[in-house]
Amino acid sequence: MRKKRILLIEDEADMVYALTLQLEAIDCEVSSAKDGQTGLGMARKEKPDLIILDLMLPKMDGYKVCRMLKFDERYKKIPIIMLTARIQDQDKKLGQEVGADAYITKPFDSKELLDKISALLKK
Amino acid sequence: MNKITRLKHSKNMSFKELKDNYQLLRDLMDFIPDVIYFKDRKGRFIMVNQAHAKGLGVKPEALVGKTDFDLFQKHRARKMVQDDAQVMKTGKPMIDRVERATRPDGVDNYVSTTKIPRYDNKGKVIGLIGITRDITRRMQFERLRKDKLSIERKLEALEELSAMKSEFISTVSHELRTPLAVIKQLVTIVFNEVVGQINHKQKEVLQKTLDNTERLRKIIDDLLDVSRIERNTLKLHYSLVDIADLVKDSASFFTELAAEKSISLEYSYPKKPVNIFIDVDRIRQVIYNLISNAIKFTMDGGKIKVEVRVLESKVRIGVIDNGIGISKSDLLLVFNKFTQVSKIEGVENKGVGLGLSISKKLVERHKGDIWVESKLGVGSKFYFTLLRFYTLDMLDKTIRDKVSSLIKKGVSIYFVSLLILNFNEFKRRLKIGAKILFKDLHAILDLSLKEVQSNNLNKQTMAVINPKVGKFSIVLPGATDRQVVKISNLLKLKIKEYFISNKIEDVFITIGTLSYSQKILSHDEKFSASRFSIKEIYIGSEMRRFKRVSLKTSIKLYLPDKKVELTESIDLSIGGICLTIRDLLKTDSQLRVSFFLPENKKFIISARVRVAWIRKIRPFFGKDVDKYKVGLEFISLEDKYRKFIASKLSSML
């Protein structure tokens, strides 16, 4: 079966490093973007199997990226996991409104993230 | 009017006009409270008014011809004469000069002095007119206003600082989370051998690193909680839950932790389900905080007990340990922010000292109380109470879940609860079985709903009946206030008719208008989308223990070491008494009380009571005396007293 491709839209370089290591260890192909705009472009171009999206991004915040993808027939099927340090309830609600499939707050358990990824990739 | 016209004017006046004018001026001089005087060129008084003379304790005539030197102290008089001379020499009036004089009794008096020169018809200065007004009050007012302004400004500055501080804490905490998340990920990667095998020792080291990232995470979370609580941005999400379930949850979580120190962790729950309306996550946070503290401060082999007591209108949760206890001096500070007990050997001091202060705020947001009783070397007892809604007791799980899910969807729920008090008696008097009674009540409900013509309600209304206890609850999702008021009133009318038609005349029906949504959710009104309101309809001939009256009476409390006699306002119900005292009592301790009801001083009620809950009252404005509000539960009340109180309550309500 072909490898699953995951796109990371995250501006923390070390976080990208850490996530890439873990995702490659479970046999996924990882690509990444440092800001919202680039991320959106890459998502449209590559059509990954899953996107991990940080909310605090330069150039275009995560909510917008998520909305742009989820409200577009061509890309709305791509599962998106939102990653953020903020856990205010309005953030979660907003996430739901823009169509995120999952919401994880930093710092998180690797296991929790990996479980969510497998669950979403299986669909 | 210039001097010439003035002269002509008086010359042309009739005697009567002169007299009238003179009277006007005389009235002015006699009745105005300001000091008015006329002086000649040499500073001698020509005429003074009543106020002036009175102030000096003489008659006005006595002052004619005198100078300031005759009346006042040398240095003061000199100044006055100087002022006079200045005015008369330059022709420039002195208007509203404020001067301070200290009275013999030390109080400062402020006066405003005005002196204007007097001219003859040739324009020469012939003297002056002086008016002195006491403006002490005005000055005080001014000073107060200035003080108030300065305080307001300081308050504004403080509030701004506080807001900045909270925002700072919030921003920094969020910023701290990201590198912490990265560290956690990286360490986990090595720990999970994703980048190569590691030996046992290395694994141990990394485990400790991960444990510490958890510590850090908890501290950051606490800081965020505190800043959110302070900025009032903490949202609570309410749902119905059985208190026993909530406490049981924590049981499983802490079993391991307690076992590590060989501490025995015991739980006691009420036998029946007790549903309460709370923010589950937040109350769980409180319970966890108390239990983890208990574990932290109890030595190996110790004992911790978590007990849930169902009180009249509250639920009381206690975490009792036989650990190291808290010293008297620390006891006062224990719920403060950033306070931690003085370093003690053998106790790991994790965290930054926010847990209890957060717990306190969370309990208070739920309109509950939290307090502690402790003795150094013996152990500590932490208690907190939550308001209890007994009508929810009878909700079986399916209804409870349905209600919870509706609340989560943001649907407002109205709960109309018919409670037939002394149900057995009613059944007997009605001479029909409970089944028929409730069938009839159900029919009445259907009819009422039809009359209110609410199609939206008919479909979703749920009725829950508990024939054994005489409870009939109606859940009305999405009902408006008006609809519920209409329905409640209709029900009340029809039920009364029903009982009367069945020959029960002294039936008493009231509608309790406790709207719990306002009581608990008022703080969060702007945040929560759903409401849960309860209207209670009492049917009966006797008041239930949940109703209380406030009376002022003499009450004696027999404490172990002394007798306290008070004349106080007490809240009396068939379940117990609630009052304010100065003595700190121990929760669950027992004592005797005796009191009488105001109209009947001879009938003294004596009872044994248990201290159900106690909370400190914040003193007003610097009065340093400690006061406590305490709830005393009747342990055993003699029939005669019970009947008396019951009849008293029903007659007063």
Side-chain angles (χ1 to χ4, degrees):
Chain A
M1 207 169 62
R2 116 186 123 76
K3 270 189 183 184
K4 298 286 181 183
R5 285 169 302 121
I6 300 183
L7 170 63
L8 303 176
I9 310 182
E10 162 70 67
D11 66 332
E12 276 283 332
D14 288 341
M15 182 59 95
V16 172
Y17 174 82
L19 288 172
T20 308
L21 270 177
Q22 290 175 89
L23 294 172
E24 285 178 349
I26 57 164
D27 217 29
C28 293
E29 244 175 58
V30 182
S31 58
S32 68
K34 282 187 294 187
D35 66 77
Q37 219 163 21
T38 317
L40 186 61
M42 282 175 76
R44 287 173 171 156
K45 190 158 157 236
E46 299 176 0
K47 279 207 183 171
D49 296 302
L50 182 112
I51 299 176
I52 296 178
L53 176 64
D54 187 68
L55 285 181
M56 300 282 157
L57 292 168
K59 288 200 189 154
M60 192 189 285
D61 74 76
Y63 289 119
K64 198 160 183 203
V65 175
C66 188
R67 203 185 318 130
M68 302 286 281
L69 290 170
K70 285 297 183 180
F71 282 52
D72 189 329
E73 277 301 311
R74 301 169 286 177
Y75 313 111
K76 69 176 187 184
K77 289 228 174 94
I78 308 175
I80 298 181
I81 298 179
M82 276 187 165
L83 211 62
T84 186
R86 298 197 159 264
I87 55 162
Q88 292 280 58
D89 303 286
Q90 47 257 46
D91 302 314
K92 259 205 179 136
K93 229 183 174 181
L94 198 54
Q96 283 169 354
E97 278 176 28
V98 296
D101 296 90
Y103 204 92
I104 291 196
T105 48
K106 297 191 247 192
F108 51 84
D109 271 335
S110 292
K111 189 172 183 305
E112 194 192 334
L113 178 64
L114 294 173
D115 282 346
K116 284 207 160 94
I117 293 176
S118 355
L120 287 171
L121 282 177
K122 275 199 191 123
K123 289 191 183 171
Chain B
M1 236 204 285
N2 63 40
K3 305 158 229 137
I4 315 288
T5 14
R6 240 193 299 139
L7 191 63
K8 262 202 186 151
H9 202 251
S10 58
K11 251 197 177 163
N12 292 336
M13 275 190 211
S14 69
F15 186 68
K16 183 171 188 309
E17 279 174 303
L18 278 170
K19 248 181 70 175
D20 287 342
N21 271 315
Y22 178 77
Q23 191 55 48
L24 281 173
L25 295 169
R26 260 265 71 87
D27 283 349
L28 178 76
M29 291 295 273
D30 290 342
F31 297 118
I32 223 171
D34 295 342
V35 162
I36 306 178
Y37 51 86
F38 296 87
K39 284 180 178 166
D40 64 17
R41 196 69 180 80
K42 293 209 175 106
R44 293 178 295 212
F45 285 106
I46 300 174
M47 180 151 91
V48 306
N49 74 341
Q50 284 289 345
H52 193 176
K54 239 196 228 163
L56 292 164
V58 296
K59 280 214 149 99
E61 301 79 56
L63 289 170
V64 178
K66 299 268 193 321
T67 67
D68 289 319
F69 281 108
D70 296 321
L71 304 168
F72 303 107
Q73 283 188 309
K74 234 200 196 150
H75 70 274
R76 201 173 160 201
R78 202 175 295 150
K79 182 142 199 317
M80 290 169 144
V81 168
Q82 249 177 355
D83 287 340
D84 289 348
Q86 182 76 2
V87 168
M88 289 193 278
K89 191 167 122 197
T90 64
K92 258 189 172 174
M94 178 176 100
I95 303 201
D96 201 15
R97 156 103 61 89
V98 176
E99 284 159 346
R100 181 172 61 117
T102 315
R103 286 204 324 224
D105 59 4
V107 175
D108 276 348
N109 248 11
Y110 291 88
V111 294
S112 153
T113 309
T114 296
K115 291 181 181 177
I116 38 183
R118 269 190 86 212
Y119 300 95
D120 64 11
N121 53 356
K122 291 195 185 91
K124 201 173 99 178
V125 173
I126 53 167
L128 61 74
I129 309 169
I131 305 181
T132 300
R133 170 176 290 182
D134 184 318
I135 53 166
T136 311
R137 275 184 73 185
R138 170 155 68 113
M139 295 306 279
Q140 284 173 345
F141 184 71
E142 281 295 315
R143 177 132 27 87
L144 278 171
R145 198 171 59 89
K146 250 188 245 155
D147 287 344
K148 179 171 175 252
L149 266 164
S150 111
I151 290 176
E152 278 177 349
R153 243 182 283 126
K154 281 193 190 150
L155 202 67
E156 256 180 62
L158 270 172
E159 282 176 350
E160 223 182 283
L161 268 174
S162 177
M164 273 167 62
K165 181 190 80 171
S166 289
E167 212 188 297
F168 175 74
I169 293 179
S170 173
T171 311
V172 168
S173 305
H174 281 124
E175 293 300 317
L176 287 171
R177 277 194 165 146
T178 306
L180 186 61
V182 174
I183 293 173
K184 191 171 174 181
Q185 290 298 291
L186 295 170
V187 172
T188 308
I189 285 171
V190 182
F191 187 84
N192 289 340
E193 301 185 325
V194 172
V195 284
Q197 271 198 321
I198 53 171
N199 66 42
H200 177 75
K201 219 21 178 212
Q202 289 168 326
K203 235 190 172 129
E204 223 176 59
V205 168
L206 292 173
Q207 181 61 59
K208 288 190 190 292
T209 312
L210 283 172
D211 289 344
N212 276 277
T213 60
E214 268 312 291
R215 256 176 87 177
L216 206 50
R217 185 194 62 83
K218 175 126 203 339
I219 294 174
I220 295 173
D221 282 349
D222 279 353
L223 279 171
L224 272 171
D225 271 352
V226 153
S227 96
R228 254 186 272 154
I229 285 172
E230 283 195 355
R231 291 158 90 196
N232 275 329
T233 56
L234 188 75
K235 246 202 301 184
L236 293 182
H237 297 281
Y238 289 89
S239 57
L240 280 174
V241 70
D242 180 359
I243 188 66
D245 285 340
L246 184 58
V247 177
K248 276 183 203 149
D249 272 350
S250 62
S252 44
F253 186 81
F254 284 106
T255 331
E256 244 187 73
L257 216 63
E260 276 177 28
K261 285 175 91 174
S262 309
I263 295 175
S264 99
L265 191 51
E266 275 173 30
Y267 291 80
S268 86
Y269 321 103
K271 298 176 195 103
K272 294 182 287 185
V274 182
N275 289 329
I276 50 176
F277 200 51
I278 54 168
D279 181 322
V280 178
D281 287 332
R282 293 302 179 172
I283 297 298
R284 188 184 289 131
Q285 193 177 346
V286 174
I287 297 176
Y288 276 27
N289 174 237
L290 295 180
I291 299 181
S292 72
N293 278 349
I295 294 179
K296 203 198 293 183
F297 291 103
T298 302
M299 299 290 93
D300 285 30
K303 234 170 100 165
I304 297 176
K305 178 151 179 247
V306 180
E307 59 163 37
V308 180
R309 273 295 294 270
V310 178
L311 305 174
E312 191 189 318
S313 62
K314 309 179 191 215
V315 168
R316 187 191 78 199
I317 297 132
V319 176
I320 299 152
D321 67 61
N322 62 356
I324 59 178
I326 304 170
S327 72
K328 255 197 172 149
S329 49
D330 284 337
L331 216 55
L332 301 163
L333 312 166
V334 101
F335 288 107
N336 290 356
K337 280 203 299 256
F338 302 114
T339 349
Q340 275 183 308
V341 145
S342 12
K343 291 235 177 255
I344 295 164
E345 234 191 87
V347 175
E348 296 171 60
N349 256 328
K350 303 182 181 169
V352 78
L354 289 171
L356 279 175
S357 99
I358 293 175
S359 293
K360 179 162 188 259
K361 288 266 157 66
L362 288 173
V363 167
E364 285 172 357
R365 279 288 292 275
H366 279 83
K367 306 285 165 62
D369 295 302
I370 185 167
W371 71 96
V372 61
E373 289 161 18
S374 180
K375 201 159 181 197
L376 203 59
V378 176
S380 307
K381 301 183 187 178
F382 277 85
Y383 296 100
F384 71 95
T385 59
L386 295 167
L387 292 176
R388 186 188 147 205
F389 304 119
Y390 65 94
T391 46
L392 305 179
D393 273 358
M394 54 162 296
L395 288 183
D396 66 353
K397 200 168 182 306
T398 41
I399 298 282
R400 209 201 315 154
D401 290 345
K402 218 164 184 182
V403 169
S404 286
S405 73
L406 282 167
I407 291 176
K408 280 205 186 97
K409 283 196 204 137
V411 179
S412 298
I413 306 221
Y414 248 114
F415 204 80
V416 177
S417 183
L418 265 85
L419 178 64
I420 303 178
L421 306 168
N422 207 1
F423 182 55
N424 291 320
E425 191 201 302
F426 264 90
K427 275 195 298 186
R428 242 182 300 126
R429 286 158 89 187
L430 268 175
K431 295 191 178 108
I432 56 175
K435 262 198 197 154
I436 302 181
L437 170 60
F438 279 108
K439 214 170 117 212
D440 290 345
L441 287 175
H442 210 303
I444 292 177
L445 170 65
D446 288 342
L447 222 80
S448 306
L449 284 172
K450 259 206 199 123
E451 277 190 40
V452 176
Q453 284 173 342
S454 37
N455 291 317
N456 62 320
L457 286 178
N458 267 320
K459 295 179 192 149
Q460 297 188 60
T461 305
M462 295 176 267
V464 185
I465 304 171
N466 187 342
K468 278 192 219 152
V469 192
K471 282 185 186 162
F472 185 87
S473 299
I474 308 160
V475 182
L476 300 157
T480 63
D481 283 14
R482 281 180 77 212
Q483 283 174 327
V484 177
V485 169
K486 264 190 179 169
I487 293 173
S488 309
N489 285 328
L490 264 174
L491 280 171
K492 186 175 157 190
L493 266 165
K494 290 187 193 289
I495 292 172
K496 190 155 194 183
E497 281 171 55
Y498 173 78
F499 278 120
I500 290 176
S501 72
N502 275 281
K503 307 258 173 43
I504 300 180
E505 269 154 12
D506 58 337
V507 72
F508 128 93
I509 305 177
T510 55
I511 299 186
T513 48
L514 275 164
S515 189
Y516 293 115
S517 71
Q518 259 96 62
K519 271 181 131 185
I520 270 203
L521 302 176
S522 57
H523 225 301
D524 298 1
E525 209 61 64
K526 45 185 167 130
F527 296 124
S528 85
S530 72
R531 272 181 6 184
F532 186 82
S533 308
I534 303 182
K535 266 207 169 10
E536 286 153 0
I537 302 181
Y538 299 107
I539 305 170
S541 53
E542 177 191 308
M543 278 316 292
R544 255 302 167 86
R545 60 212 211 119
F546 305 98
K547 281 290 180 180
R548 43 182 55 186
V549 292
S550 222
L551 347 128
K552 191 161 184 181
T553 183
S554 274
I555 178 167
K556 291 197 184 115
L557 301 167
Y558 296 91
L559 305 179
D561 50 344
K562 58 175 170 169
K563 184 174 85 174
V564 177
E565 225 178 295
L566 309 156
T567 304
E568 269 279 331
S569 277
I570 64 171
D571 279 342
L572 174 68
S573 73
I574 205 77
I577 311 170
C578 184
L579 71 153
T580 306
I581 56 172
R582 297 227 176 131
D583 302 85
L584 177 58
L585 301 176
K586 278 207 178 133
T587 310
D588 282 343
S589 62
Q590 295 184 8
L591 56 139
R592 203 160 58 81
V593 299
S594 68
F595 60 99
F596 51 79
L597 299 182
E599 305 80 39
N600 192 343
K601 289 198 177 160
K602 289 201 184 137
F603 190 77
I604 296 182
I605 300 167
S606 169
R608 264 204 93 71
V609 296
R610 168 189 357 255
V611 178
W613 53 267
I614 182 162
R615 86 177 149 100
K616 201 163 173 183
I617 306 181
R618 287 215 193 99
F620 284 158
F621 302 120
K623 279 199 188 151
D624 254 340
V625 183
D626 278 343
K627 278 195 186 176
Y628 303 91
K629 192 126 195 245
V630 65
L632 302 168
E633 197 179 66
F634 289 132
I635 295 177
S636 62
L637 197 60
E638 278 180 61
D639 263 347
K640 58 178 178 181
Y641 298 135
R642 181 190 305 279
K643 284 189 180 150
F644 187 72
I645 294 178
S647 70
K648 192 84 220 144
L649 289 169
S650 65
S651 72
M652 288 181 91
L653 286 165

